[in-house]
Amino acid sequence: MSDQVLEKTSQKGGEARCPGEPTTQEIIANDKVKAPGWVCSENYEFMGDEDISSDRYIRADYAQKEYDNLWARTWQFACREEHIPEVGDYYVYDLGRYSFIVTRVADDKIQAYYNACLHRGTKLRPSNSEGYAEEFKCPFHGWSWNIDGSNKDVICEWDFPHVEKEKFGLPQVRVETLAGFVFINMDANAPSLEEYMGPEFMAHINSWGLENRYIALHVTKMIPANWKLNMEAFMEAYHVIETHPQVAVSNGDANSQYDTYGEHVNRFISTLGVISPHLRGQYTEQDILDQFTVGDSSVLAGADRKLAEGETARQRMADMLRSMFSAAADADLSGVSDSEILDCFSYTLFPNTFLFPGISLPMVYRFRPHPTDHRQSLYEVFFLRPVPQTGPRPDPASPIHLEPHQSFKEAEGMDPGFGDILDQDTENLLLQQQGLEASAKPGITLGNYQEIRIRHFEYAVDKYVAGK
Ligand code: FES
């Protein structure tokens, strides 16, 4: 028996790591500009190794339970504060059959209403719309509400003596803001957003300054797969060597780090500028540097890519990206660590949001179920860039809605290399949805470490769907 197999059989579930390779923390510890505490920490916990049932991805009745027990009880990212900067600005957030008007009612107060008239139910504002309102007036018979939700007018009031206007305010959902994000929750009894996210994550997000970012690019696309499959495609780096071979040369994929925080947050850290363990020994440091790509490759145009003797690709990339992103964003990044400049940090906020607080890959993802088809889901990619230090704050980019057959590269402003990656990530999903429906096996099998985020996420799904 080989040493490797002996080692494996003597380990408990979840203890094994990519053999013979530096850990993410060891790679980061060698950086020149040191990383802060939220980077230099680990929080993995083994959660079992049973299969996860496939019903959740393929059954319409499961999706209905999610509407009733999961979506109705969880905090969800509805919009950014920058979408509604002035009193009267509103943004319609739709979630399946649900729809909400999120509006600023005072400089320091945001409220959200069920987007439905209290007369005969007509939506007060169309789905996916946004704008400015002095009142919310129903397009059918003209009942209207003030932006604070109080009833303003009932047409032919003489015919509605049974309607007490003071009791006909628009029903509200809870609203809280965090780091420039506006979250809503339909559940009056849900914990606060801070309690829901947990103390570890709150310490992380409060150090990122995401409130000082703006939406530079927003792309949406309907994907032919259940929303949970769509999300899970982005929860691990295990797929990189097979799905994205063009970036594996400069991506520590099999030695990425995975962490869980409470019930609702998990993350990975995937180091860049280092060789994939799958390709160890096949490429030089110069090769790694030459093949490195980043979310916005235009910032590297014209850069000197010749390494000096003993210099590492990772250090050169961190130095180059720091100066280039500083210039591009008119921002001072001198105190930002190499890891934050370079690496991919991916956090899932249950149920449907990913935050990437790094500098080179500054995305937010949001996933929503299709209103009537559990086999489709809406995938949204936002790029959040630092607000320039001078000049007015840029307006948030309007969404670019791609058709299902279009490439992400067709979205104006999308880096072609990153568009390729998103295409590769999403092209597997139809096959996965169809394969799960065709399978003789009733569940999916997960790796103990590299796929812990999926198990952690699905355990939370199970808990909510069970009504716990
Ligand atoms: Fe809205 Fe009649 S349905 S006023």
Side-chain angles (χ1 to χ4, degrees):
M1 199 181 284
S2 71
D3 288 349
Q4 206 167 308
V5 174
L6 272 175
E7 188 183 334
K8 185 175 177 183
T9 52
S10 65
Q11 283 174 327
K12 294 193 190 120
E15 285 186 349
R17 298 292 181 272
C18 188
E21 290 292 330
T23 65
T24 293
Q25 291 300 326
E26 287 167 346
I27 293 168
I28 291 172
N30 280 329
D31 289 340
K32 188 169 65 183
V33 183
K34 298 302 178 195
W38 68 266
V39 175
C40 302
S41 59
E42 292 189 68
N43 205 47
Y44 170 81
E45 187 183 348
F46 179 61
M47 299 180 74
D49 54 12
E50 306 82 15
D51 280 3
I52 300 290
S53 73
S54 300
D55 289 1
R56 68 196 64 226
Y57 307 116
I58 63 178
R59 291 184 58 128
D61 60 341
Y62 196 94
Q64 186 55 50
K65 286 181 194 160
E66 290 175 346
Y67 279 121
D68 296 340
N69 293 336
L70 188 159
W71 296 109
R73 296 169 55 212
T74 47
W75 286 100
Q76 295 157 49
F77 157 44
C79 65
R80 289 274 297 171
E81 285 204 60
E82 67 199 86
H83 282 121
I84 47 173
E86 307 292 338
V87 173
D89 289 345
Y90 70 89
Y91 187 99
V92 175
Y93 171 68
D94 297 291
L95 190 285
R97 63 182 165 85
Y98 299 117
S99 183
F100 307 94
I101 300 173
V102 184
T103 187
R104 188 174 291 278
V105 299
D107 287 343
D108 59 353
K109 190 170 187 189
I110 295 170
Q111 292 184 175
Y113 314 112
Y114 287 88
N115 184 15
C117 177
L118 297 188
H119 176 218
R120 282 166 53 194
T122 307
K123 269 187 180 171
L124 296 171
R125 284 290 183 278
S127 290
N128 300 309
S129 63
E130 57 185 298
Y132 169 78
E134 292 186 342
E135 62 177 6
F136 296 113
K137 187 174 187 179
C138 180
F140 197 170
H141 310 94
W143 288 29
S144 60
W145 284 265
N146 298 302
I147 61 167
D148 68 2
S150 58
N151 185 275
K152 182 177 181 185
D153 201 10
V154 171
I155 305 300
C156 296
E157 203 173 333
W158 56 266
D159 207 16
F160 294 88
H162 46 295
V163 169
E164 296 177 58
K165 287 177 70 176
E166 56 280 5
K167 291 185 180 170
F168 262 59
L170 292 174
Q172 297 184 31
V173 294
R174 291 170 64 188
V175 174
E176 292 200 40
T177 60
L178 178 62
F181 295 88
V182 180
F183 287 83
I184 66 160
N185 194 324
M186 290 177 248
D187 183 0
N189 298 314
S192 69
L193 181 62
E194 183 174 341
E195 205 180 328
Y196 179 92
M197 295 297 181
E200 297 100 335
F201 175 71
M202 290 303 295
H204 291 197
I205 194 170
N206 285 331
S207 68
W208 296 338
L210 295 182
E211 60 276 18
N212 298 320
R213 305 254 188 120
Y214 73 100
I215 298 174
L217 180 65
H218 180 186
V219 181
T220 83
K221 186 175 176 180
M222 194 63 75
I223 302 294
N226 182 270
W227 68 278
K228 299 184 296 301
L229 291 182
N230 201 346
M231 286 186 67
E232 290 165 11
F234 299 93
M235 286 190 189
E236 37 82 6
Y238 180 44
H239 69 282
V240 169
I241 191 68
E242 186 64 31
T243 300
H244 312 298
Q246 78 277 20
V247 299
V249 174
S250 59
N251 184 349
D253 50 2
N255 50 351
S256 294
Q257 176 179 314
Y258 298 84
D259 300 299
T260 59
Y261 301 99
E263 284 185 354
H264 300 122
V265 180
N266 60 50
R267 77 167 179 182
F268 75 49
I269 306 175
S270 196
T271 53
L272 301 182
V274 294
I275 189 75
S276 161
H278 295 288
L279 303 173
R280 174 75 63 196
Q282 299 177 39
Y283 294 90
T284 65
E285 285 292 308
Q286 187 64 58
D287 294 332
I288 296 169
L289 183 60
D290 290 344
Q291 297 194 36
F292 184 91
T293 60
V294 70
D296 185 358
S297 54
S298 64
V299 298
L300 295 175
D304 173 12
R305 288 196 175 213
K306 185 77 184 132
L307 283 179
E309 186 71 29
E311 192 180 9
T312 64
R314 178 173 170 82
Q315 193 60 61
R316 173 66 74 87
M317 289 309 309
D319 293 344
M320 289 197 315
L321 289 177
R322 176 176 288 100
S323 61
M324 290 170 187
F325 280 121
S326 296
D330 185 23
D332 179 12
L333 302 178
S334 56
V336 180
S337 69
D338 294 340
S339 179
E340 291 167 278
I341 293 280
L342 196 52
D343 294 331
C344 180
F345 299 92
S346 161
Y347 284 72
T348 302
L349 313 186
F350 189 84
N352 64 335
T353 300
F354 281 55
L355 301 185
F356 297 76
I359 302 294
S360 68
L361 295 167
M363 295 86 68
V364 173
Y365 296 165
R366 181 168 62 184
F367 302 81
R368 289 183 271 174
H370 185 281
T372 58
D373 183 0
H374 66 283
R375 302 168 83 236
Q376 296 187 62
S377 51
L378 187 70
Y379 173 38
E380 293 176 273
V381 183
F382 306 76
F383 273 78
L384 258 58
R385 298 285 183 200
V387 174
Q389 289 180 317
T390 55
R393 183 186 178 99
D395 289 335
S398 298
I400 299 169
H401 301 292
L402 296 177
E403 295 297 322
H405 66 274
Q406 285 186 284
S407 162
F408 281 95
K409 288 183 288 191
E410 294 180 52
E412 189 178 345
M414 177 70 74
D415 175 75
F418 196 70
D420 272 336
I421 290 174
L422 296 183
D423 287 343
Q424 290 167 333
D425 279 321
T426 51
E427 277 164 4
N428 287 328
L429 285 166
L430 176 60
L431 289 174
Q432 191 184 12
Q433 179 74 42
Q434 291 176 335
L436 286 169
E437 292 171 2
S439 180
K441 182 167 172 278
I444 60 171
T445 301
L446 298 174
N448 285 338
Y449 185 64
Q450 295 179 88
E451 294 175 314
I452 188 64
R453 292 177 76 192
I454 296 173
R455 184 175 299 281
H456 179 258
F457 169 70
E458 288 298 351
Y459 276 23
V461 170
D462 282 339
K463 186 199 104 165
Y464 278 98
V465 166
K468 294 176 187 163

